Amino acid sequence: MIKVNRDVCIECMTCVSVCPFTVLEGSEEGVRMAEGKMCISCMHCGAVCPTEAITYNGEPSILSDEMPVISENFHEDLKNHILTRRSYRHFSQQEVSRTTIEEALELASWAPSAKNQHTTKWIVIDDNEVMEKIMELILEYVKETGISPEIASEMENGNNVVMGTSKALLLAYANDNAISPETDTAIAMTTAELYLQSKGVGTCWAGYLKRMANAIPEIRELLPKIPKSCSFYGAFMIGYPEDEDYIHIPQRFKRADIKWV
């Protein structure tokens, strides 16, 4: 899978030192893949190679883009971004472009994933009729089972706690047999959310929607077919916030509980 171009390789062995599973090794012929090892295609080797000598399955192991330069104050900007992000449930009628959503989900491909599996996949719903049908199915389910009755009672008060007034919904699903599907999905969604909110797009983690999508088979039938071996591991409301200007950082009464050993 990994090939080292020995015409340009300077045998600095940096690629060998960063490989997380010792897939690469030095030899009399130069750097090579060790026998019996499985590459997880993380491309750490390509990222550190000073001569761009590494390819993967015949493809470049790195992007052609220039390495981004992070400003000295980026840590402060990131801290401020995290402190000012909010979970929005009330959205304007302005639609979020598919391009913006796709950019966010593409960036999620660079989020950490157990053994680089990246098993999370995405369904974006921006069809009002489909969203309304999903809500009808959820209300029917609540009425029949008595589960989460607050969904129905809040709906009677004009408050949709499942999807708010969002213009689009995101459902994230993954293979149940993956190493860590729930954690991988949460990390990927967090990465996408940080980007979306940096672009002024509001989000809210839609826990009710995730649970109901797993519990109600008819919801799956409304969506593009996904394998039976997959479950929904996360959901978002997406839209541009409607007249919600937060002027203070809210208090957090449960702070980090840290123990050092």
Side-chain angles (χ1 to χ4, degrees), residues 29 37 43 47 55 58 60 71 87 118 131 141 150 154 156 193-194 203 211-212 222 227 229 240 242 260:
E29 296 79 24
K37 293 285 188 173
M43 294 299 101
T55 57
S71 69
S87 293
H118 290 280
M131 293 170 67
Y141 178 81
E150 67 276 11
E154 285 296 315
E156 291 175 358
E193 181 191 43
L194 287 172
T203 57
R211 292 195 295 273
M212 294 301 173
L222 292 173
S229 61
Y240 287 103
E242 181 181 41
W260 293 84

Side-chain angles (χ1 to χ4, degrees), residues 25-261:
E25 64 179 8
S27 72
E28 292 182 357
E29 296 79 24
V31 176
R32 68 182 182 186
M33 286 189 68
E35 291 186 9
K37 293 285 188 173
M38 180 64 72
C39 173
I40 63 171
S41 63
C42 66
M43 294 299 101
H44 282 353
C45 55
V48 299
C49 180
T51 60
E52 301 181 16
I54 296 172
T55 57
Y56 182 83
N57 285 343
E59 298 292 332
S61 62
I62 57 174
L63 296 181
S64 59
D65 305 35
E66 290 291 329
M67 190 69 171
V69 177
I70 304 298
S71 69
E72 292 183 1
N73 295 324
F74 175 73
H75 63 286
E76 286 294 337
D77 292 336
L78 179 59
K79 176 183 175 181
N80 292 335
H81 182 48
I82 292 171
L83 287 174
T84 55
R85 73 150 295 283
R86 302 261 39 89
S87 293
Y88 297 94
R89 295 170 176 83
H90 304 289
F91 304 93
S92 71
Q93 293 300 305
Q94 182 182 355
E95 295 184 356
V96 180
S97 74
R98 291 188 172 188
T99 299
T100 298
I101 296 174
E102 288 172 352
E103 285 174 353
L105 299 181
E106 181 69 17
L107 275 175
S109 301
W110 275 266
S113 173
K115 283 198 174 178
N116 205 35
Q117 284 191 326
H118 290 280
T119 187
T120 304
K121 295 178 173 59
W122 315 98
I123 295 176
V124 184
I125 308 168
D126 58 3
D127 186 313
N128 287 331
E129 291 185 8
V130 175
M131 293 170 67
E132 290 173 3
K133 183 59 179 177
I134 289 174
M135 199 62 220
E136 290 174 7
L137 290 170
I138 291 174
L139 290 171
E140 290 174 7
Y141 178 81
V142 169
K143 182 178 179 180
E144 292 173 0
T145 65
I147 295 174
S148 299
E150 67 276 11
I151 292 177
S153 60
E154 285 296 315
M155 197 68 177
E156 291 175 358
N157 293 326
N159 182 26
N160 187 334
V161 296
V162 176
M163 55 186 71
T165 60
S166 58
K167 299 300 295 180
L169 299 172
L170 172 73
L171 278 166
Y173 66 95
N175 196 307
D176 300 327
N177 295 322
I179 296 172
S180 188
E182 188 161 16
T183 300
D184 283 358
T185 300
I187 297 172
M189 290 181 65
T190 298
T191 301
E193 181 191 43
L194 287 172
Y195 179 76
L196 286 169
Q197 293 223 3
S198 74
K199 298 273 287 186
V201 178
T203 57
C204 182
W205 291 68
Y208 283 120
L209 178 60
K210 179 194 76 172
R211 292 195 295 273
M212 294 301 173
N214 283 319
I216 305 171
E218 291 82 1
I219 291 181
R220 281 200 182 212
E221 295 173 6
L222 292 173
L223 305 173
K225 186 176 181 179
I226 68 173
K228 292 182 179 179
S229 61
C230 293
S231 297
F232 294 106
Y233 284 95
F236 272 161
M237 307 175 201
I238 300 175
Y240 287 103
E242 181 181 41
D243 299 329
E244 291 188 13
D245 293 325
Y246 293 96
I247 59 175
H248 302 289
I249 300 171
Q251 182 60 272
R252 283 292 181 257
F253 298 103
K254 292 184 178 180
R255 296 292 186 90
D257 187 345
I258 304 170
K259 296 178 177 62
W260 293 84
V261 178

